[in-house]
Amino acid sequence: MMNELLDFILLREANTRYVVAGTVLLGLTAGMLGSFTVLRRRALLGDAIAHAVLPGVCLAFMFTGTKDPFILLVGALISGGLATFFMDVVQRNTKLPPDVVLALVLSVFFGIGIFLLTMIQQSGMAAQTGLDKFLFGQAASMMGRDVVLFGLIGGSVLFILFIFFNPLKLISFDPAFASSVGFHVFRYDALLTALLVAAITVGIQAVGVVLMAALLVTPAVAARYWTEDLRVMMWLAGAFGALSGWLGAFASYYIPGLPTGPCVVVATTFIFATSMFFAPERGVMARWLRHRQTGRRIMRENVLKTLYQLHEEVPEKQLFTLHDISEKRFFVPQELALCLRRLVKEGYVRQAERGYLFQQKGWEEAIRITRLHRLWEVYLAEHLAFPDDHVHADAEAMEHMITPELEEKLRQTLNHPLHDPHASPIPYNNSASTST
Amino acid sequence: MIVSDARRSEGQTIALEVHDLTVAYRDKPVIWGVDFALPERQLAAIVGPNGAGKSTLLKTIMGLITAASGQVRVYDQPLEAVRKEVAYVPQRESVDWDFPTNVLDVVMMGRYGQMGLFSRPGKADREAAMSALEKVGMAEFAKRQISQLSGGQQQRIFLARALAQEARLYLMDEPFAGVDAATEAAILELLQSLRAEGRTVLVVHHDLQTVADYFDYVLMINMRLIADGRMEETFTTENLQKTYGGRLNLLSEVAHLATRHSHILQAEKKPE
């Protein structure tokens, strides 16, 4: 195992080099191109074209009797091109929605492809063995000549992507505007489709027609989680694609007979799942953490405000028990206990033997949140003509969102009111603490 | 034709001329024989009920939709010859604001038409984009991700992109839709400064309450052109009724308007 792994990683055998070069190149090309097709909302188009190249491959084989990759590629190109042409014609002349057209062309072409494939397998033609590899891919079967051919095609696809980066970006973001400044959106869509056909044609031997779409869509979607910049997204998608390709090739090399396609899919899916959960900002975890943080902050602000109100009712009272707090406002007991523990830890309040005392930090925060609540109530009542008895609920939510800038505007607009609509005083002075 | 010829004899340059424009979606006409000539240096509004073909008219003028028949001329030339002189602002909702790009990049797209296909944006392009951002008060947002913008900010970015095109004729699809009051005021100010610079602006507008205050020229359409001309002569109760037909809710709006803009109605009553 170790030796084989090293052999593979160090690319000791010529065949390994071809296989790795081929699949990495394919992953890179598909990932980068996929960034555009995903953003242009053409993700399914790749899947449809991938399935649609199969009959072309089969027919090319039946007519020539060889498995020369160049000839099979020509067949794939023609078949993929025909499929896109059909999609376009059907789309223009019927009222069918685009997804129906895609599904139709995909299944019809693929069905014909499987039919032809079965015919070939039963014909007993000498060279027929191995053609079924085109279904799920077999990277290990790639030869040096294939890699050179793929390299040429993949390289051209990337070159064209870079040349037309600006227009492709523009038509992906805002096609109507693109066409208003004189870009022919239809032509660029056709270009994107042509690049798709080319990339898929390269991919059929390595990952197969059935799963090729995974390499076009998944790396791009995974990359989107990590960045807000299209260029970075492209490179990242390319890297994810290349990595998946490499892993797929390795699996296929290590376990002879294992098709590459499914391995590549497993690898991309793993990268995608990791991205979805762990990416900063957009990832599920990050969102969940942010959500929890906001929840904790709101809870903290509510507890501090409640303490302030208790103090307001009986000014000489400095020490508040759990019982006092729950009397004043309902909190889930466990949550309240947890929150108070955090407040103590973060220095908002101090725990004494028989209750809790304000610390300076907590006092200031309590005043701030009470002030925001009451300022907002005044604003609702005075400027939006809310009845006085309806302002509280809205202020309960807004007090947690008002920024310092907005507070300043509120204060100026309202001319520093002294009382809220329920006649409670609005506290302005942060420093006047009763705490010791 | 007659109208535009008459205006031309008054010595006014015509910014946009539309001749007998008909647009159909699969045999169903949406715009029928629309014919008008918009003089330059105007703030013009297109008003009409939902489904009247307002957006379609703009898109057809820009060549985004192929007309069944008719002709569009901009500064007396076919659109293709003067495309760089025309800027189009699509509806804000027409794009995905979660697209991975930043504010400056979007505004820079306004320079693509001038830049040519293969060139990278140069210093002049960057300066034009930044100055456009300043004009809409969004300069400090240049590096902000567009997914973080509010609706009003999105609209300002779209306007900045159009400003970066440095065009003579501006076509805007509902720039006032769904923006806050501050943005509405800022956009209005921007339109007025465009007019002051000698540019012409044609805006699809949905708020009948503000049409008369914001614009000085109006096209009233409901599939066909009901009326067009200077605001005070054209934006009349009678034309509003013709445009909005028997729609009760809108008629009540019209009644409200009639009281609010009584000065216009009085001007209309004056003998010619």
Side-chain angles (χ1 to χ4, degrees):
Chain A
M1 163 79 197
M2 267 323 281
N3 267 339
E4 279 169 336
L5 185 64
L6 272 178
D7 278 351
F8 186 82
I9 291 172
L10 299 176
L11 305 172
R12 276 181 193 147
E13 289 168 34
N15 188 46
T16 320
R17 260 172 285 188
Y18 300 141
V19 171
V20 169
T23 49
V24 164
L25 193 74
L26 170 68
L28 183 76
T29 312
M32 294 185 112
L33 177 61
S35 299
F36 281 108
T37 51
V38 165
L39 290 172
R40 183 77 182 102
R41 304 194 179 272
R42 295 281 194 276
L44 269 178
L45 183 63
D47 200 26
I49 296 175
H51 281 77
V53 300
L54 188 60
V57 173
C58 294
L59 284 174
F61 175 76
M62 286 166 91
F63 283 128
T64 63
T66 66
K67 280 197 293 179
D68 182 324
F70 182 74
I71 295 192
L72 298 185
L73 283 185
V74 172
L77 272 174
I78 293 174
S79 178
L82 258 179
T84 51
F85 174 73
F86 276 134
M87 280 187 261
D88 194 49
V89 168
V90 175
Q91 190 74 76
R92 277 167 193 249
N93 294 294
T94 64
K95 288 185 176 181
L96 294 174
D99 57 331
V100 172
V101 177
L102 282 172
L104 203 71
V105 169
L106 183 154
S107 47
V108 167
F109 271 74
F110 190 59
I112 295 172
I114 293 291
F115 175 76
L116 293 172
L117 195 61
T118 316
M119 266 179 66
I120 293 169
Q121 278 167 334
Q122 290 178 349
S123 68
M125 285 169 85
Q128 55 94 4
T129 47
L131 211 56
D132 56 331
K133 301 260 160 54
F134 286 116
L135 280 183
F136 295 107
Q138 187 53 272
S141 65
M142 280 197 289
M143 301 298 194
R145 224 189 122 196
D146 305 349
V147 174
V148 173
L149 188 61
F150 296 172
L152 282 175
I153 298 177
S156 319
V157 169
L158 291 184
F159 181 71
I160 293 171
L161 271 189
F162 283 110
I163 293 279
F164 292 103
F165 180 82
N166 278 349
L168 287 174
K169 176 179 179 177
L170 186 57
I171 65 151
S172 303
F173 173 61
D174 192 346
F177 180 80
S179 119
S180 85
V181 293
F183 289 95
H184 298 274
V185 175
F186 177 76
R187 286 186 206 165
Y188 286 106
D189 273 337
L191 175 70
L192 216 47
T193 310
L195 295 180
L196 264 180
V197 174
I200 287 165
T201 309
V202 174
I204 50 174
Q205 191 171 5
V207 295
V209 298
V210 177
L211 298 168
M212 182 59 204
L215 211 46
L216 282 163
V217 177
T218 326
V221 178
R224 180 69 186 92
Y225 275 100
W226 299 92
T227 175
E228 296 283 343
D229 183 319
L230 179 55
R231 273 176 202 280
V232 179
M233 175 177 163
M234 268 178 80
W235 282 110
L236 210 53
F240 288 164
L243 180 64
S244 311
W246 187 85
L247 287 171
F250 175 65
S252 165
Y253 173 88
Y254 186 61
I255 308 168
L258 180 67
T260 326
C263 302
V264 170
V265 170
V266 169
T268 51
T269 307
F270 178 74
I271 293 173
F272 167 74
T274 311
S275 306
M276 186 176 83
F277 282 107
F278 300 112
E281 300 292 323
R282 296 179 77 92
V284 172
M285 281 280 280
R287 275 167 204 256
W288 180 75
L289 281 175
R290 273 202 303 274
H291 195 76
R292 192 180 69 162
Q293 217 170 18
T294 312
R296 282 184 176 178
R297 181 172 61 81
I298 289 173
M299 179 78 180
R300 177 184 76 210
E301 291 175 352
N302 283 339
V303 171
L304 287 173
K305 195 178 62 178
T306 309
L307 292 179
Y308 181 84
Q309 287 163 349
L310 287 167
H311 165 77
E312 211 173 28
E313 279 168 15
V314 190
E316 53 275 14
K317 189 165 171 140
Q318 303 268 334
L319 197 66
F320 310 102
T321 64
L322 272 178
H323 180 75
D324 292 335
I325 300 172
S326 341
E327 286 267 278
K328 183 73 191 158
R329 177 186 178 131
F330 174 76
F331 290 105
V332 179
Q334 295 92 324
E335 284 179 13
L336 178 61
L338 257 173
C339 178
L340 280 164
R341 216 175 300 155
R342 276 198 302 272
L343 285 178
V344 171
K345 209 171 100 191
E346 290 161 14
Y348 288 95
V349 297
R350 193 152 56 82
Q351 188 168 19
E353 216 169 303
R354 303 176 58 192
Y356 297 88
L357 293 132
F358 268 124
Q359 298 265 53
Q360 182 64 26
K361 183 177 167 189
W363 174 252
E364 281 171 15
E365 183 65 4
I367 281 190
R368 187 183 72 86
I369 212 70
T370 309
R371 181 174 65 239
L372 292 183
H373 179 97
R374 293 180 181 168
L375 278 173
W376 187 251
E377 286 186 333
V378 175
Y379 180 72
L380 286 182
E382 284 187 7
H383 284 255
L384 301 180
F386 270 56
D388 289 352
D389 53 340
H390 281 74
V391 295
H392 177 77
D394 196 79
E396 273 296 301
M398 278 307 293
E399 66 191 23
H400 305 294
M401 298 177 219
I402 293 171
T403 58
E405 297 80 36
L406 194 59
E407 186 197 341
E408 192 48 45
K409 268 191 207 164
L410 265 180
R411 284 211 217 180
Q412 277 169 11
T413 311
L414 302 171
N415 202 12
H416 304 270
L418 295 175
H419 293 92
D420 73 4
H422 318 295
S424 304
I426 298 177
Y428 286 105
N429 192 350
N430 280 349
S431 55
S433 166
T434 56
S435 165
T436 45
Chain B
M1 273 300 262
I2 298 162
V3 177
S4 63
D5 285 345
R7 284 217 185 95
R8 217 172 262 153
S9 64
E10 286 167 22
Q12 257 178 322
T13 309
I14 300 299
L16 173 66
E17 215 167 339
V18 169
H19 285 301
D20 199 24
L21 199 68
T22 296
V23 183
Y25 285 136
R26 302 182 199 284
D27 309 332
K28 201 183 127 211
V30 271
I31 293 181
W32 200 311
V34 166
D35 205 290
F36 66 87
L38 174 66
E40 70 167 358
R41 295 165 178 268
Q42 302 288 326
L43 276 191
I46 303 177
V47 299
N50 287 337
K54 303 186 292 282
S55 296
T56 307
L57 177 58
L58 279 200
K59 285 181 186 158
T60 313
I61 292 171
M62 285 313 299
L64 309 183
I65 296 174
T66 313
S69 68
Q71 197 194 6
V72 172
R73 291 179 79 79
V74 177
Y75 289 101
D76 212 20
Q77 296 194 65
L79 178 71
E80 280 312 319
V82 284
R83 206 176 259 286
K84 285 176 188 163
E85 303 287 350
V86 191
Y88 168 65
V89 181
Q91 284 185 24
R92 175 163 57 85
E93 292 84 5
S94 65
V95 306
D96 173 16
W97 287 92
D98 199 34
F99 195 85
T101 191
N102 66 28
V103 165
L104 186 60
D105 270 358
V106 172
V107 178
M108 201 69 93
M109 288 173 185
R111 305 296 300 172
Y112 284 9
Q114 270 90 336
M115 271 159 50
L117 260 188
F118 304 108
S119 46
R120 303 273 162 213
K123 200 174 163 225
D125 297 311
R126 225 167 299 247
E127 275 166 10
M130 274 317 289
S131 120
L133 268 178
E134 268 158 36
K135 281 183 195 153
V136 299
M138 293 282 290
E140 70 268 39
F141 290 83
K143 291 288 164 194
R144 188 71 68 90
Q145 296 310 318
I146 60 168
S147 55
Q148 295 169 359
L149 302 177
S150 72
Q153 289 170 334
Q154 291 171 354
Q155 191 63 62
R156 289 178 195 220
I157 295 312
F158 261 18
L159 289 171
R161 182 176 68 179
L163 292 181
Q165 289 180 260
E166 294 171 344
R168 281 171 84 188
L169 172 65
Y170 283 83
L171 306 179
M172 305 181 177
D173 203 344
E174 303 241 15
F176 291 104
V179 301
D180 53 288
T183 301
E184 179 149 350
I187 294 175
L188 180 62
E189 203 177 309
L190 195 72
L191 299 191
Q192 286 163 346
S193 69
L194 284 175
R195 176 182 53 191
E197 289 166 12
R199 303 174 208 267
T200 310
V201 189
L202 180 59
V203 174
V204 171
H205 197 62
H206 66 292
D207 184 6
L208 288 179
Q209 316 272 356
T210 53
V211 178
D213 294 337
Y214 289 4
F215 299 95
D216 33 40
Y217 201 94
V218 67
L219 303 171
M220 304 173 80
I221 67 169
N222 190 348
M223 286 177 66
R224 50 199 186 83
L225 185 70
I226 309 290
D228 68 316
R230 298 208 44 84
M231 186 65 70
E232 51 272 25
E233 297 141 24
T234 316
F235 197 61
T236 61
T237 314
E238 193 197 339
N239 281 338
L240 275 167
Q241 263 162 355
K242 274 195 215 158
T243 310
Y244 287 88
R247 298 186 174 200
L248 271 178
N249 55 337
L250 281 157
L251 277 181
S252 60
E253 245 187 286
V254 171
H256 175 71
L257 266 176
T259 49
R260 199 161 163 256
H261 297 296
S262 48
H263 58 282
I264 296 171
L265 298 175
Q266 272 154 13
E268 174 208 354
K269 275 178 203 146
K270 275 181 204 155
E272 293 279 314

